[in-house]
Amino acid sequence: MNRGQFRSLVESYVKYSGNQYISDAVDLNTLCNERLRAFSAETLCLYDDAITLTLTANTATYNFRDLSIVSKELVLPTHVVIDAYPLYNYQMRRGFASLDEVATYSPNYLTAGAAKPNRAILLPGNTLRLVAKPDQVYTNCYLPGFYFHPTISTLPSGDATSISIPEEFQRVAAIYTAIDLLLPTSTAQSDYEKIAVFDKRAAQQMMELKSRSASFFDGPGLRGMNREHPGLYL
């Protein structure tokens, strides 16, 4: 489904609700961008294991939402690959160590000299810290993980651009977008209730998606994480 088709589907759901809605195409395109981004963050439905990571020698921290550093803006990385090999945590699982673990096992990690990184931490502020800081610009570096839906041009030319949401979730994403156009006076309060106005099956699918995304925070390398402060609660 391309953006033009997606926007038309959103409009059809809003018209069905009987509510007033934004009719300007550019404004609707902006809304579609905002809601596709939010949908991808809330459901973790977009994953890529080949998101490139650009290192800088003697630099330990990297913003994983900076597109000059990573090839896709990440909601949540799952692990780090340096020089074609994944980094492991202290349980020897592919993933991130906690700040407490690094401070315990490598108490001088902040002042240690540069070397090939062998651990990684996720910090608040969308920050990845490598331990040790890299002593050179290694190649074949990746930051696999769940990423935000990319922004599509709001110009008419953007209508031909395919949306990245998997096909089986596109209808739910359209309803998720449409509910943001419902008037504040709507009797439905939660997103679930608003989605159910259009389709109870879609509301159930949204709940299943959110439940599935929550389960990723209790898997190998991600145990104990949360979205606000990933890596501090492993």
Side-chain angles (χ1 to χ4, degrees):
M1 181 184 297
N2 62 37
R3 199 273 307 283
Q5 294 168 325
F6 182 80
R7 186 185 64 241
S8 295
L9 186 58
V10 170
E11 288 184 282
S12 69
Y13 282 126
V14 178
K15 289 176 181 177
Y16 170 78
S17 75
N19 285 277
Q20 298 177 3
Y21 67 98
I22 300 170
S23 59
D24 181 80
V26 173
D27 288 342
L28 271 174
N29 291 341
T30 299
L31 176 72
C32 287
N33 275 331
E34 293 172 353
R35 294 298 278 178
L36 285 170
R37 179 182 174 89
F39 184 85
S40 62
E42 191 166 343
T43 63
L44 299 184
C45 63
L46 299 177
Y47 183 85
D48 190 345
D49 62 355
I51 297 173
T52 57
L53 171 64
T54 301
L55 299 185
T56 301
N58 296 300
T59 298
T61 58
Y62 300 86
N63 186 329
F64 54 77
R65 294 185 182 170
D66 184 341
L67 291 176
S68 69
I69 295 172
V70 291
S71 57
K72 291 181 179 177
E73 190 180 2
L74 283 144
V75 179
L76 177 72
T78 55
H79 62 285
V80 183
V81 176
I82 302 292
D83 199 20
Y85 290 92
L87 301 189
Y88 289 81
N89 59 27
Y90 288 95
Q91 290 72 46
M92 295 310 297
R93 291 176 172 176
R94 184 181 62 186
F96 299 99
S98 72
L99 182 60
D100 285 345
E101 287 174 325
V102 171
T104 299
Y105 294 109
S106 302
N108 67 333
Y109 75 99
L110 290 175
T111 57
K116 189 172 185 177
N118 60 8
R119 294 284 189 271
I121 317 169
L122 289 181
L123 299 172
N126 315 315
T127 300
L128 166 73
R129 177 180 286 279
L130 296 177
V131 182
K133 60 186 175 184
D135 56 349
Q136 65 183 65
V137 178
Y138 290 94
T139 58
N140 297 313
C141 297
Y142 302 94
L143 194 58
F146 302 97
Y147 63 95
F148 287 103
H149 192 283
T151 299
I152 300 174
S153 170
T154 57
L155 297 176
S157 58
D159 282 353
T161 302
S162 295
I163 66 170
S164 301
I165 303 297
E167 183 177 356
E168 63 269 30
F169 306 137
Q170 290 176 357
R171 182 168 162 274
V172 180
I175 297 176
Y176 180 84
T177 303
I179 64 173
D180 210 41
L181 291 169
L182 289 175
L183 292 176
T185 54
S186 170
T187 56
Q189 298 301 314
S190 69
D191 280 358
Y192 176 85
E193 290 174 324
K194 290 180 179 179
I195 292 174
V197 168
F198 299 104
D199 191 314
K200 290 184 178 180
R201 184 169 61 87
Q204 181 60 37
Q205 189 176 13
M206 182 67 187
M207 292 295 288
E208 290 170 359
L209 275 168
K210 293 177 70 172
S211 176
R212 188 186 71 166
S213 72
S215 72
F216 284 112
F217 291 87
D218 197 32
L222 292 176
R223 194 170 307 281
M225 282 187 185
N226 68 36
R227 296 176 192 271
E228 288 74 26
H229 302 292
L232 295 182
Y233 303 99
L234 292 175

